[in-house]
């Protein structure tokens, strides 16, 4: 007989692809995954052996009879194995266990008996035999179909009996495999014995199992993925909304704070009643805490949403350290703490980095040192470790105090957010537990580290290590000449007076005008006020000013536009007058933004009296030279 093996070749090809796919995709973590792979292997080898024996059994291709008998016997063994594996697959899938139940055990016995029958066939020829080099059917040849057919039918019936344990799609796929294979066998057995279609029919069933049961539900997967994407977008919108809200709130809070702290400063300066000065001092301290909390929360939320950018630019190391000194020494003096700064004189004078953030790190550490120290001293050391790369210096900045210290088991916790230690001890000291967490995260962003050593009751030493690019290697020299002596806060006295000078203050909020005018009063300069950009332009045409202080957010014409118009006005007596931006916008990069827009300086609200004086003296002194 001439066999047509085309369907077997197709079946082997499909099974190879399924097997490859299954091995690559499955993690074999479900019980049925493993059995399904075995079933595919059985079908693959069955199809190959069916094709090979179909070819060798055809008279034209005679191979030694012994080999042909062996190949045919192997084919029947693999067919038995395919049927048996299908029944086991159904059983494992329904009962979710590899244990053999009674039905499986009957299947095991039948498999053993049939296997023995196949071996015996080599001698008895009951199933098949060879005569004159040709393949001949034995009297029990149809057993070759009946036994695998038994397993198919068994799986089919099992699926029906236990249909309640299966989802409709699963039931369909399992039931589809059985009849598919049975139809193949019947077609071949009854109608065209020379066309080998059994395996291709089983392969179709195998594909149904793959797509319905063994691979995830793609439609569901896609739906889940699109839900996840939607949730991600919503979360992003929410984070953006939170950041915008915080930036807005920080702006809104700063504006009234400007009035509160500014007016309070006037009370401190002008009052002669010691009680009132005492109350105002409390307001000032509480205001400073509130302001630093607003800043911390803004920074924290920005770091959290990944929006905090590190903006590197050239800066003078000396100026940065002096800024820190100016901001902290009053607080140290108020607590009668000795504050000293020591530095390596060989440090390069100009570096490249984010000056504002480095200053923030140092101020955080110094503020904590002052907060948690009752007597003794605070010391700031600025040094460097050996320069490994030619253009990089590793700054070593340490802040040492003689304060309450931190116990050993609390040390690992202090850099976590909202973590405040020894609540009993520090509960009278204001704080949010955010400062050190922000410090650490800022240093992470800048490629630096922070570490701490502490002895409870003796003091702490925080050390920052931070790589910075060198812009100018000229040694910085001694930054602060001598250690500052502790002292009491002195009654306010202006640094300089400028009775000849004339300043213009532009702000649409009346209280802000009052605050700034009051803060400027002791400079003895004449002060003009404008409530809008238009009013400012009119005044500028008529008068000659020494400094213009300009609010940013104003209706109709904002500060930036007013500043640009002033600078571009023709025949303007004030074309070269310094214009300083005043703003409650303290977000990261604000200063850079204002300077780039064309302003000569920047002061953030609430305006600190010291910074204001410092800024004025900068411009007035440079004019005088
Ligand atoms: P806080 O706003 O509470 O100061 P920080 O994050 O700055 O938050 O500090 C976290 C905790 O670490 C503080 O509550 C305090 O217990 C401890 N701590 C920080 N610096 C010092 C220091 N110099 N001396 C003693 N304890 C400190």
């Amino acid at each position: 007989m001439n066999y047509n093996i085309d369907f077997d070749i197709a079946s082997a090809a499909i099974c190879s692809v399924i097997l490859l796919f299954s091995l690559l995709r499955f993690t074999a973590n479900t019980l049925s995954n493993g059995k399904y792979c075995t079933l595919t292997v059985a079908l693959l080898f069955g199809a190959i052996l069916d094709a090979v024996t179909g070819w060798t059994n055809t008279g034209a291709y005679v191979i030694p009879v012994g080999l042909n008998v062996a190949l045919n016997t192997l084919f029947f063994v693999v067919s038995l194995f395919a049927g048996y594996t299908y029944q086991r697959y159904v059983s494992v899938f329904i009962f979710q266990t590899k244990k053999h139940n009674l039905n499986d055990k009957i299947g095991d016995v039948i498999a053993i008996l049939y296997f023995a029958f196949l071996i015996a066939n080599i001698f008895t020829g009951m199933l098949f035999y060879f005569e004159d080099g040709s393949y001949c059917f034995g009297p029990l040849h149809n057993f070759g179909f009946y036994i695998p057919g038994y397993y198919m039918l068994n799986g089919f019936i099992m699926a029906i009996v236990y249909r309640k344990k299966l989802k409709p799609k699963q039931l369909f796929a399992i039931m589809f495999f059985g009849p598919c294979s049975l139809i193949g066998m019947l077609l071949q057995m009854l109608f065209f014995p020379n066309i080998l279609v059994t395996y291709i029919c089983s392969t179709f069933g195998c594909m149904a199992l793959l797509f319905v049961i063994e691979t995830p539900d793609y439609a569901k997967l896609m739906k889940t993925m699109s839900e996840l994407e939607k949730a991600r977008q919503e979360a992003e919108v929410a984070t953006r909304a939170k950041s915008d809200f915080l930036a807005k709130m920080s702006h809104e809070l700063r504006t009234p704070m400007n009035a509160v702290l500014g007016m309070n400063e006037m009370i401190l300066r002008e009052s002669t009643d010691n009680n009132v000065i005492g109350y105002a001092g409390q307001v000032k301290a509480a205001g400073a805490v509130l302001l630093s909390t607003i800043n911390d929360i803004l920074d924290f939320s920005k770091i959290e949403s990944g929006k905090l950018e590190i903006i590197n630019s050239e800066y003078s190391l000396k100026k940065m350290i002096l800024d820190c000194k100016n901001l902290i020494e009053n607080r140290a003096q108020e607590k009668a703490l000795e504050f000293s700064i020591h530095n390596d004189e060989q440090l390069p004078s100009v570096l490249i980095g984010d000056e504002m953030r480095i200053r923030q790190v140092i101020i955080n550490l110094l503020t904590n040192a002052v907060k948690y120290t009752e007597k003794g001293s605070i010391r700031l050391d600025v040094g460097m470790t050996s320069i490994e790369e030619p253009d990089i210096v590793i700054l070593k900045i340490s802040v040492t105090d003689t304060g309450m210290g931190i116990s050993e088991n609390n040390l690992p916790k202090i850099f976590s957010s909202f973590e405040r230690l020894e609540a009993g001890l520090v509960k009278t000291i204001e704080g949010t537990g955010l400062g050190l967490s922000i410090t650490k995260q800022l240093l992470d962003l800048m490629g630096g580290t922070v570490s701490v050593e502490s002895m409870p009751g003796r003091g702490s030493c925080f050390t920052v290590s931070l790589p910075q690019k060198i812009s100018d290697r000229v040694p910085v020299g001694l930054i602060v000449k001598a250690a500052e002596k502790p002292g009491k806060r002195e009654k306010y006295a202006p640094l300089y007076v400028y009775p000849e000078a004339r300043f213009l203050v532009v702000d649409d909020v009346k209280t802000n005008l009052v605050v700034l005018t009051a803060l400027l009063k002791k400079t003895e300069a004449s002060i003009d006020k404008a409530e809008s950009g238009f009013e400012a332009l009119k005044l500028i045409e008529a008068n000659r000013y020494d400094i213009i202080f300009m609010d940013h957010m104003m209706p109709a014409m904002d500060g930036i536009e007013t500043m640009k118009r002033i600078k571009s006005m023709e025949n303007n007596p004030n074309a070269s007058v310094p214009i300083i931006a005043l703003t409650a916008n303290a977000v990261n990069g604000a200063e850079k933004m204002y300077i780039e827009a064309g302003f000569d300086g920047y002061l953030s609200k609430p305006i600190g009296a010291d910074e204001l004086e410092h800024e004025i003296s900068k411009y007035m002194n440079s004019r005088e030279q």
Side-chain angles (χ1 to χ4, degrees), residues 91-140:
S91 171
V92 166
F93 188 73
I94 291 177
F95 301 110
Q96 287 300 309
T97 170
K98 284 188 176 171
K99 261 174 98 184
H100 291 222
N101 58 25
L102 182 63
N103 185 41
D104 295 323
K105 282 180 187 153
I106 294 172
D108 295 346
V109 173
I110 291 175
I112 293 166
L113 290 176
Y114 182 59
F115 181 73
F117 169 73
L118 289 176
I119 301 299
N121 173 71
I122 299 171
F123 309 103
T124 60
M126 299 293 272
L127 194 67
F128 68 88
Y129 59 93
F130 282 87
E131 204 173 72
D132 303 332
S134 293
Y135 179 83
C136 302
F137 292 172
L140 299 179

Side-chain angles (χ1 to χ4, degrees), residues 368-369 371-372 401 404-406 414 419-421 426 430-437 460 462:
N368 275 352
K371 267 200 317 197
Y372 300 107
D401 64 54
M404 61 169 67
I406 304 159
I414 58 168
E419 194 74 61
R420 304 206 69 217
L421 310 175
V426 299
E430 282 100 344
T432 51
L434 278 179
L436 285 181
S437 157
S460 314
F462 286 80

Side-chain angles (χ1 to χ4, degrees), residues 1 23 60 165 200 208 211 216 243 518 538 558:
M1 192 163 11
L23 292 176
K165 290 189 177 222
I200 191 75
F211 293 124
S243 281
K538 270 193 211 137
D558 72 5

Side-chain angles (χ1 to χ4, degrees), residues 198-216:
T198 309
Y199 274 91
I200 191 75
C201 290
S202 300
T203 304
F204 287 143
C206 189
M207 282 162 76
L209 292 176
L210 174 74
F211 293 124
V212 178
I213 297 182
E214 296 305 324
T215 48

Side-chain angles (χ1 to χ4, degrees), residues 214-401:
E214 296 305 324
T215 48
D217 187 335
Y218 281 105
K220 209 165 154 195
L221 191 67
M222 297 315 282
K223 195 168 155 244
T224 314
M225 277 172 69
S226 79
E227 278 168 9
L228 278 176
E229 177 59 22
K230 210 169 134 219
R232 192 185 64 83
Q233 283 172 1
E234 278 169 10
E236 255 176 25
V237 171
T239 313
R240 218 172 305 132
K242 187 180 87 177
S243 281
D244 291 350
F245 171 75
L246 282 164
K248 252 206 176 86
M249 279 311 286
S250 136
H251 183 275
E252 296 306 316
L253 290 171
R254 260 164 230 280
T255 309
M257 284 284 285
N258 187 40
V260 173
L261 295 184
M263 288 307 184
N264 191 60
E265 183 67 27
M266 299 325 298
I267 299 174
L268 280 169
R269 286 181 190 182
E270 292 179 7
S271 175
T272 46
D273 182 329
N274 278 345
N275 277 338
V276 174
I277 291 176
Y279 303 144
Q282 301 284 338
V283 174
K284 184 175 177 164
V289 172
L290 183 56
L291 196 62
S292 91
T293 306
I294 294 171
N295 288 339
D296 277 0
I297 291 176
L298 186 67
D299 280 347
F300 182 73
S301 75
K302 292 199 132 205
I303 293 174
E304 235 196 353
S305 60
K307 284 201 175 150
L308 196 134
E309 266 179 75
I310 296 299
I311 300 168
N312 292 327
S313 57
E314 261 185 16
Y315 69 94
S316 146
L317 183 66
K318 179 169 179 169
K319 179 181 165 290
M320 198 260 290
I321 298 295
L322 287 178
D323 282 351
C324 297
K325 171 178 175 278
N326 288 341
L327 279 168
I328 222 70
E329 67 181 351
N330 270 351
R331 296 189 213 173
Q333 278 178 12
E334 274 161 13
K335 287 181 87 174
L337 297 170
E338 190 179 320
F339 175 53
S340 60
I341 297 179
H342 308 262
N343 74 289
D344 180 338
E345 292 179 33
Q346 293 307 314
L347 276 163
S349 56
V350 185
L351 301 173
I352 297 174
D354 192 330
E355 180 187 3
M356 174 180 149
R357 295 301 173 187
I358 301 169
R359 195 168 47 210
Q360 187 177 351
V361 164
I362 302 175
I363 297 288
N364 269 351
L365 297 179
L366 286 172
T367 312
N368 275 352
V370 174
K371 267 200 317 197
Y372 300 107
T373 304
E374 284 318 311
K375 61 176 193 305
S377 62
I378 314 286
R379 181 187 162 116
L380 171 65
D381 283 280
V382 188
M384 59 180 165
T385 50
S386 61
I387 304 171
E388 278 157 25
E389 284 177 58
D391 294 336
I392 305 275
V393 60
I394 309 226
L395 288 183
K396 276 252 172 264
I397 302 165
S398 54
V399 173
T400 317
D401 64 54

Side-chain angles (χ1 to χ4, degrees), residues 452-515:
V452 55
E453 282 169 33
S454 190
M455 286 265 281
R458 302 277 294 275
S460 314
C461 176
F462 286 80
T463 306
V464 167
S465 169
L466 180 66
Q468 293 284 278
K469 270 206 174 129
I470 302 169
S471 174
D472 189 341
R473 319 191 143 265
V474 173
V476 68
L478 201 59
I479 295 179
V480 176
K481 301 280 176 314
E484 296 287 328
K485 293 277 166 294
K488 281 254 168 280
R489 181 191 152 92
E490 282 159 20
K491 185 95 183 129
Y492 170 79
L495 265 181
Y496 307 100
V497 287
Y498 310 99
E500 310 291 314
R502 186 168 194 151
F503 300 150
L504 172 64
V505 184
V506 191
D507 200 314
D508 60 313
V509 180
K510 271 208 176 78
T511 342
N512 286 343
L513 284 178
V514 176
V515 170

